[in-house]
Amino acid sequence: MNTIQKKIYTLVAVVVCSMVVIWVALTYYNQKMQNQYNDILQRYLQMNEVSALSRELVTTLNNYIQTPSNDKLYVLDNERRMLTEAKEQIAQLKNDANLFTLTNYLNLIDSLINSTDRSIRSLHENKKEESINDFTDATRLSTYISEMTLTLFDTELKTYDQFYRDMIKQSELLNKLGLSMIAMITCILLLFTYLFSYSITRPIYKLTQAARELSRGRFDTSVEIAGNDEISFLAKTFDRMRVNINNLFSEIQHKAQLERELQSNKLLLQESQLLSLQSQIHPHFLFNTLDTLSKKVYLEGLEETSDLIASVARLLRYSLKRLDRPVTLYEEVMILREYMLIQQTRFTERLRYIEHIDESCLYIQLPGLTLQPIIENAVIHAIEPLEHGGTITLHITEASDRILVEIKDEGMGMSAERIQQILEETEPRRDGHSTGIGFSNVVKRLRLFYGQENVIEIESNEGQGTTVRLLLPKYRGGNSDA
């Protein structure tokens, strides 16, 4: 689809690319001319520097001859070195036009340096008259150098005169070219903008007319807009909508029929909810039956079996009443003992259960059925697989502002992956003969109940048993007045 957005992007891309090309071309040619101009200017500056250094060298030599000193000699040596370096730079400026003149110019510089050296040497040998004669030669050579510099300037000007003229013409041509390109881009942009706006406004006008006819109830007026952009797609969609409106009345009737069926389904849903409520009677019926059975067995003298059935009944009653509201740790310990009585009856001497409980810690509240699923996990995974069974130990002590509940077993331990699944509440649902409340469910309910994440720790190594620690705040939300 040739979308409007693509048209805009195309326009922007054309304008930006054109401007970038113009800018790059103008910058390139301007930089090229500037570099050439700088090279010529650098030639003039180097020649002028040689002339200035030759005069300074003669002046410093005169001062040294008048009053010799180490400082003046140091300055004189420094200026002589600078003049030598300048001469080496000037030597690189040779070309066919200035070859003869520049060669003589370099010889004059060498002669000036030699006269300076002779004058200093004669002065050191106390030949003052010879030193003055050499100084006179140096002065004359310095004058020749200045005159020769002007001659070189004149030669350079004549050599690059045509270049200056060409550079001025090229600069004017670039300015005209830049203005012409800007004017051309502006015209193209205006033309493209007109065509672009027309391609949008014309279909919109036709679509508006069709909508006006449709609002008057004339569904026989079709909308035909050529193109392959969003407006054309909108027009085709609008035309399909016009056709579909004729079928709207029959659809309304169909929806009315569906509404009646929906009401019927709601009645069925309510009936199913009623059946669901009725199904809740079954666990209570089972509890009452177990209670009756326990009393009958007790009357027949089977006290151990009676206690077992009574424990099952109390565990069932607890699960029905306590899962949806807080209980005390004391109630959890009591129902845990009922559960362990059932399991010890099942495993006999293979299961050993030890308690170390600080009775003063049993007043705190926690979610119902918290300890039993953890103990059940230990029974299933730590006691049942082992032929010799094992020991489960329960410690309940006070630790600062929390109650520490520690459950240990001597089983095969857990892998780090399973511990992570439990703590992240992603433990997969396991089939088996458990009560149906998973370890991860306990973790989730504890965190929701206390509003904290750090309420449980699991320490385990495979083959070395498992220790589960519950760090239960004494008060929910950390408020002592709770």
Side-chain angles (χ1 to χ4, degrees):
M1 179 181 291
N2 188 18
T3 63
I4 297 175
Q5 188 179 42
K6 288 183 179 178
K7 294 179 181 179
I8 296 175
Y9 285 163
T10 302
L11 174 62
V12 173
V14 169
V15 173
V16 171
C17 291
S18 301
M19 298 302 293
V20 168
V21 169
I22 294 173
W23 178 80
V24 169
L26 292 177
T27 302
Y28 171 76
Y29 286 111
N30 182 62
Q31 186 65 37
K32 184 178 180 180
M33 288 189 298
Q34 185 176 355
N35 291 338
Q36 292 175 342
Y37 179 78
N38 289 337
D39 291 341
I40 297 171
L41 181 61
Q42 189 65 28
R43 297 167 70 94
Y44 293 152
L45 291 176
Q46 290 174 355
M47 294 176 186
N48 184 66
E49 183 181 9
V50 169
S51 178
L53 286 174
S54 65
R55 291 194 298 269
E56 291 177 3
L57 181 64
V58 171
T59 302
T60 304
L61 178 62
N62 181 51
N63 293 334
Y64 180 73
I65 292 173
Q66 297 297 325
T67 53
S69 67
N70 291 332
D71 292 340
K72 292 180 180 180
L73 181 61
Y74 174 78
V75 174
L76 188 61
D77 290 338
N78 188 50
E79 290 180 353
R80 182 173 53 186
R81 178 182 56 79
M82 293 173 61
L83 182 59
T84 302
E85 293 175 356
K87 186 201 76 168
E88 293 175 355
Q89 294 178 357
I90 288 293
Q92 300 175 4
L93 304 180
K94 288 183 179 180
N95 53 42
D96 295 338
N98 64 9
L99 179 61
F100 179 76
T101 305
L102 191 60
T103 301
N104 293 335
Y105 190 69
L106 296 175
N107 292 334
L108 287 174
I109 296 174
D110 290 334
S111 299
L112 174 61
I113 294 174
N114 292 333
S115 297
T116 302
D117 292 339
R118 288 196 305 271
S119 177
I120 295 172
R121 187 168 53 252
S122 298
L123 185 63
H124 289 170
E125 294 174 356
N126 294 323
K127 299 177 181 179
K128 192 168 184 178
E129 184 176 353
E130 293 181 7
S131 176
I132 292 174
N133 291 334
D134 291 331
F135 169 72
T136 303
D137 291 339
T139 303
R140 178 173 50 79
L141 290 171
S142 175
T143 303
Y144 290 160
I145 289 174
S146 298
E147 294 175 353
M148 186 67 72
T149 300
L150 295 176
T151 302
L152 285 172
F153 279 173
D154 184 63
T155 303
E156 292 289 322
L157 288 173
K158 291 179 180 179
T159 302
Y160 292 101
D161 177 67
Q162 186 60 39
F163 169 76
Y164 292 141
R165 298 180 185 276
D166 293 341
M167 187 170 61
I168 293 173
K169 291 180 180 180
Q170 190 175 11
S171 177
E172 293 176 352
L173 181 62
L174 288 176
N175 290 334
K176 292 179 181 179
L177 178 62
L179 292 175
S180 300
M181 292 295 292
I182 292 174
M184 183 179 66
I185 291 295
T186 302
C187 294
I188 294 175
L189 180 60
L190 290 175
L191 178 61
F192 191 88
T193 302
Y194 170 76
L195 296 176
F196 176 72
S197 61
Y198 183 80
S199 66
I200 294 177
T201 56
R202 182 62 179 174
I204 291 177
Y205 175 76
K206 290 183 178 181
L207 193 58
T208 303
Q209 291 293 105
R212 185 177 294 111
E213 294 295 326
L214 186 62
S215 65
R216 294 172 181 172
R218 297 184 59 182
F219 301 110
D220 57 340
T221 304
S222 62
V223 182
E224 296 180 0
I225 296 178
N228 190 28
D229 55 15
E230 291 88 347
I231 298 178
S232 176
F233 178 77
L234 180 61
K236 294 175 183 177
T237 305
F238 184 85
D239 197 53
R240 286 195 298 269
M241 180 187 69
R242 175 188 61 82
V243 174
N244 292 334
I245 287 178
N246 291 325
N247 302 323
L248 182 61
F249 299 107
S250 60
E251 291 181 4
I252 291 176
Q253 293 176 352
H254 180 64
K255 288 181 180 179
Q257 178 65 26
L258 291 177
E259 186 70 23
R260 287 192 295 270
E261 293 178 359
L262 179 61
Q263 293 297 332
S264 176
N265 290 336
K266 285 183 178 179
L267 293 176
L268 293 175
L269 178 61
Q270 291 175 357
E271 184 178 352
S272 65
Q273 290 175 344
L274 178 59
L275 292 175
S276 177
L277 292 173
Q278 290 175 346
S279 67
Q280 295 180 8
I281 299 174
H282 299 165
H284 293 282
F285 175 75
L286 178 60
F287 161 71
N288 293 331
T289 302
L290 289 173
D291 189 41
T292 302
L293 183 60
S294 174
K295 292 177 181 179
K296 187 176 185 301
V297 171
Y298 179 78
L299 292 174
E300 293 176 356
L302 302 175
E303 295 182 3
E304 184 178 353
T305 304
S306 175
D307 292 341
L308 178 60
I309 295 174
S311 295
V312 173
R314 283 190 288 270
L315 181 60
L316 178 60
R317 176 191 290 173
Y318 189 83
S319 66
L320 291 174
K321 294 183 178 181
R322 302 293 182 178
L323 189 58
D324 59 343
R325 62 188 181 90
V327 299
T328 63
L329 185 56
Y330 173 80
E331 294 175 280
E332 281 288 288
V333 171
M334 292 298 103
I335 201 62
L336 179 59
R337 289 172 180 170
E338 301 289 351
Y339 174 77
M340 291 307 297
L341 176 62
I342 297 170
Q343 295 300 331
Q344 285 177 324
T345 302
R346 176 188 173 195
F347 291 101
T348 63
E349 71 277 359
R350 289 178 59 207
L351 174 59
R352 294 172 292 280
Y353 175 65
I354 301 174
E355 287 185 351
H356 299 285
I357 299 176
D358 184 352
E359 298 291 336
S360 64
C361 300
L362 300 181
Y363 66 90
I364 67 166
Q365 290 188 334
L366 71 165
L369 285 178
T370 295
L371 301 184
Q372 183 270 330
I374 300 176
I375 293 289
E376 181 180 58
N377 185 78
V379 170
I380 294 174
H381 298 286
I383 304 300
E384 185 174 357
L386 301 178
E387 181 179 356
H388 61 276
T391 302
I392 297 178
T393 306
L394 173 66
H395 290 267
I396 300 179
T397 58
E398 184 176 5
S400 184
D401 61 340
R402 294 177 181 263
I403 301 299
L404 175 62
V405 179
E406 190 174 77
I407 300 169
K408 294 183 178 180
D409 65 58
E410 300 174 345
M412 300 303 296
M414 298 185 191
S415 64
E417 180 181 2
R418 181 155 184 254
I419 293 176
Q420 184 177 5
Q421 289 178 344
I422 293 172
L423 295 179
E424 293 179 355
E425 305 171 15
T426 59
E427 183 187 21
R429 184 177 182 88
R430 299 177 181 271
D431 297 329
H433 47 272
S434 68
T435 57
I437 300 176
F439 205 152
S440 294
N441 182 277
V442 173
V443 176
K444 180 183 296 185
R445 289 191 292 117
L446 280 174
R447 288 172 175 170
L448 290 175
F449 185 81
Y450 292 109
Q452 299 181 16
E453 292 291 320
N454 59 332
V455 293
I456 184 169
E457 295 177 353
I458 301 177
E459 180 181 328
S460 179
N461 293 310
E462 294 191 28
Q464 300 181 9
T466 301
T467 300
V468 178
R469 298 185 185 89
L470 302 182
L471 310 174
L472 306 179
K474 293 182 179 180
Y475 308 99
R476 293 179 66 179
N479 186 357
S480 60
D481 296 328

